[in-house]
Amino acid sequence: MNGAQALLKTLADAGIEVCFTNPGTSEMHFVAALDSEPRMRAVLALFEGVATGAADGYARMADKPAATLLHLGCGLGNGLANLHNARKGKVPVVNIVGDHATYHTQYDAQLQSDIETVARNVSPGFVRTAQSTAALCQDAADAIAAARGLPGQVATLVLPADVSWGEGGQPCPPPAPPAPTAASDEAVQAIAQAIRSGEKTIVLLGGHALREGALRSAARIAAHSGVQLLAEVFPTRMERGAGLPAVERVAYLAELAGVQLAGARHLVLVDAKSPVSFFAYPGKASDLVPAGCTVHTLCSPAQDAAASLDKLAAALGASATQPPLAPAQRPGRPRGPLTAPKVCKAVGHLLPENAILIDEAITSGLMLGVMTAGCPRHDLITLTGGAIGQGLPNAVGAAIACPDRPVIALIGDGTAMYTLQALWSMARENLHVVSVIFNNASYSVLNVELERVGAEQAGPKAKSQLDLKGPVLNFAQLAQGMGVHAVRASTAEDFCQALEYALAHPGPHLIEALVPESLAGPKRKVLPWLLRALPSLPPQVARALKRKIAP
Ligand SMILES: Cc1ncc(C[n+]2csc(CCOP(=O)(O)OP(=O)(O)O)c2C)c(N)n1
Ligand SMILES: [Mg+2]
């Protein structure tokens, strides 16, 4: 066996069955070896950001990593934003980056660059350049162990061409899966005591605590002890819908998050990070924990969230409590001229059982949460690292991980353009993905931010950096050019019909929703003013306003 063949066998033996590739000359032996390993599916992406985002989406849904195959430092650089999103979401990825032959690097050839330096940013816990064919598979096993250890991470294995083509590859047995522990007795007791004090307590659920088992335990605790549950702002994967506990997410806008967290005396972190503002704003706090609130950690991302919550429930005597569950209910069928909230309503009206919902709709998705809360149970995937261009690639990976589940990806028009090539992979692999693109011809959220930061002097040059009006994009045509069935909709009736058709016909579809900006005109003008006023309003009024702005 050569190195590449042994590497592929090692990956497949460890259950890694999909490789998202964008290869070059230095990866040709890996590419050639693909046919030697029938258990490995190879999926070509036409941009590295699609390959890395697909690996991310795959792992979120398969609960195990995929591999990537990228071309040297430049290919890795192209894939970096979505590896960043995976890192923030603690998603396992075995990130394989081809390199020049070891003896070739000294010549500083055209594609020579410092791959490890590029990689370290997104895979700080594991970057290794394989040095020999004989040792390659041990390196791979170590990378696999690092990637799927808890917390999950991006592990980068740099694969020099001569290590790949060299003879004498020795496959390695798969590393043992991680065995996470539950919260310590001390942590459980201290938190149980804080909860029993009766002081206002918020339990913040993140990571694996947003999966069914953990959600049910957390809901039992909430129903029994009166604590409030919140979910982190951008979940990696959240199970929700009818029959599951409904958990409100921390708001994206710091001022609104401030309303949600106001008055808390204890904040209990369950596989979650203490909340901070997404961006800094002049004169505003970055840390969202209210003054006088003690932060407790029930369990870290390296521990077992469900088992930790079970332990806390037992300590509180809540193990047998029946928590309230989201009732089955759907919004009605929307009618009339299409708007972003009506698209969300249509999705709520039609969402099929067991769907995977990907939300990268930015301002157009504000109503998605309420409109789908009582839909049949589904998984929600969100933009964990804030680097846009995640959603369409995630859809590719999610659909490959779960071929029997429909995937619906809701994406802003600006966002869609970062990694639009994902459509081609959907067509080539014939994936059942419905991509909904909100064409509002704007980087709308940035117009909101422009008002929020108080940059009133913004002139036409500034504003033209945030609008997409000339030329207006035609996503239906772009999709058709990549082999994806696509339609445009400008009424709610047309949109519903298109969604029904897409859901009933397996394979990729794109629906371009022609919508006005959700936050425009007077709404955009008053928003910063309202946000500023929130802290001085009575809590009930502030909460009502919060629900109105971002339900
Ligand atoms: C990689 C990356 N580049 C740039 C940005 C900054 N950014 C945040 S939102 C956004 C525009 C989003 O526009 P669109 O998808 O059309 O959504 P809308 O705001 O119109 O709802 C940009 C450019 C980012 N978050 N990530
Ligand atoms: Mg837009």
Side-chain angles (χ1 to χ4, degrees):
M1 270 191 201
N2 68 20
Q5 288 162 340
L7 171 58
L8 278 160
K9 180 164 174 17
T10 300
L11 292 170
D13 286 348
I16 297 179
E17 302 170 314
V18 186
C19 183
F20 295 99
T21 79
N22 188 266
T25 304
S26 38
E27 293 77 47
M28 281 302 117
H29 283 83
F30 187 106
V31 170
L34 284 168
D35 285 291
S36 73
E37 183 43 83
R39 292 171 295 171
M40 182 64 76
R41 179 170 177 180
V43 177
L44 176 61
L46 300 187
F47 175 65
E48 292 85 346
V50 174
T52 55
D56 175 27
Y58 174 90
R60 291 185 196 213
M61 293 313 304
D63 278 326
K64 64 177 186 177
T68 60
L69 180 69
L70 307 177
H71 185 49
L72 299 116
C74 299
L76 173 60
N78 280 346
L80 213 64
N82 276 330
L83 290 173
H84 163 88
N85 288 324
R87 176 171 87 89
K88 291 292 180 175
K90 304 184 179 65
V91 180
V93 177
V94 176
N95 183 39
I96 300 175
V97 185
D99 192 5
H100 285 309
T102 49
Y103 59 82
H104 193 62
T105 51
Q106 61 184 309
Y107 301 109
D108 193 25
Q110 284 77 357
L111 270 164
Q112 175 64 34
S113 72
D114 182 353
I115 299 174
E116 291 198 0
T117 293
V118 181
R120 221 162 263 125
N121 186 273
V122 290
S123 62
F126 189 99
V127 179
R128 189 182 299 172
T129 301
Q131 301 296 335
S132 73
T133 303
L136 169 62
C137 291
Q138 186 57 56
D139 294 330
D142 293 347
I144 295 163
R148 67 184 193 192
L150 280 173
Q153 60 178 320
V154 178
T156 300
L157 177 64
V158 182
L159 177 61
D162 54 339
V163 171
S164 192
W165 75 51
E167 289 300 321
Q170 287 290 331
C172 264
T181 56
S184 70
D185 294 344
E186 297 75 55
V188 169
Q189 286 314 323
I191 291 165
Q193 197 179 343
I195 291 174
R196 281 198 213 95
S197 74
E199 295 181 320
K200 180 171 174 176
T201 301
I202 294 178
V203 176
L204 180 60
L205 307 170
H208 289 95
L210 297 174
R211 307 289 287 276
E212 178 172 0
L215 280 172
R216 288 189 190 278
S217 300
R220 276 194 276 277
I221 294 168
H224 177 273
S225 307
V227 304
Q228 187 192 334
L229 302 179
L230 281 177
E232 66 188 341
V233 53
F234 289 117
T236 301
R237 173 179 172 188
M238 181 172 182
E239 296 189 311
R240 64 194 295 273
L244 289 175
V247 181
E248 185 179 321
R249 280 160 62 189
V250 173
Y252 162 74
L253 295 171
E255 295 90 336
L256 301 181
V259 173
Q260 293 171 297
L261 295 163
R265 304 288 298 165
H266 302 280
L267 180 66
V268 179
L269 305 177
V270 187
D271 193 351
K273 190 174 172 324
S274 188
V276 296
S277 162
F278 206 87
F279 289 108
Y281 296 91
K284 291 188 187 147
S286 294
D287 187 350
L288 296 179
V289 178
C293 176
T294 307
V295 179
H296 309 260
T297 299
L298 176 66
C299 63
S300 77
Q303 291 174 291
D304 184 331
S308 301
L309 284 162
D310 277 345
K311 218 168 148 177
L312 180 60
L316 290 163
S319 301
T321 303
Q322 292 295 323
L325 304 172
Q329 62 191 141
R330 289 176 182 274
R333 203 177 170 95
R335 314 211 174 267
L338 197 57
T339 62
K342 284 186 200 172
V343 171
C344 296
K345 192 172 181 188
V347 170
H349 186 68
L350 295 170
L351 193 78
E353 188 80 42
N354 223 10
I356 299 168
L357 196 53
I358 298 178
D359 176 12
E360 201 180 18
I362 320 292
T363 58
S364 293
L366 279 171
M367 303 301 284
L368 189 65
V370 276
M371 291 298 180
T372 55
C375 282
R377 53 176 300 161
H378 56 276
D379 282 275
L380 174 72
I381 285 178
T382 75
L383 179 58
T384 43
I388 57 175
Q390 176 190 297
L392 292 173
N394 271 186
V396 171
I400 287 175
C402 304
D404 301 327
R405 300 180 62 176
V407 179
I408 302 178
L410 302 169
I411 316 284
D413 50 353
T415 295
M417 288 305 290
Y418 284 68
T419 43
L420 200 66
Q421 303 92 328
L423 295 173
W424 184 88
S425 298
M426 291 175 196
R428 168 184 271 226
E429 301 293 325
N430 195 27
L431 305 177
H432 191 26
V433 176
V434 184
S435 303
V436 175
I437 311 295
F438 291 91
N439 191 343
N440 61 11
S442 173
Y443 281 168
S444 188
V445 69
L446 297 186
N447 284 292
V448 176
E449 295 286 13
L450 193 67
E451 302 273 352
R452 274 181 87 204
V453 298
E456 274 120 24
Q457 66 282 31
K461 209 191 294 177
K463 291 198 171 129
S464 77
Q465 304 314 300
L466 314 181
D467 96 39
L468 311 178
K469 287 190 183 64
V472 172
L473 291 153
N474 187 320
F475 285 93
Q477 286 181 354
L478 288 163
Q480 281 156 6
M482 284 185 265
V484 170
H485 167 258
V487 293
R488 293 186 117 180
S490 53
T491 66
E493 287 79 2
D494 285 353
F495 183 85
C496 287
Q497 205 183 2
L499 185 54
E500 280 170 329
Y501 179 89
L503 290 170
H505 293 83
H509 301 268
L510 181 139
I511 308 173
E512 179 176 8
L514 301 169
V515 294
E517 293 178 67
S518 291
L519 292 170
K523 272 194 197 160
R524 185 190 290 162
K525 285 268 179 263
V526 300
L527 183 65
W529 182 88
L530 275 179
L531 294 175
R532 266 197 301 278
L534 277 175
S536 48
L537 297 174
Q540 263 147 326
V541 181
R543 276 199 293 274
L545 256 179
K546 190 263 154 197
R547 277 197 297 275
K548 194 106 195 105
I549 300 169

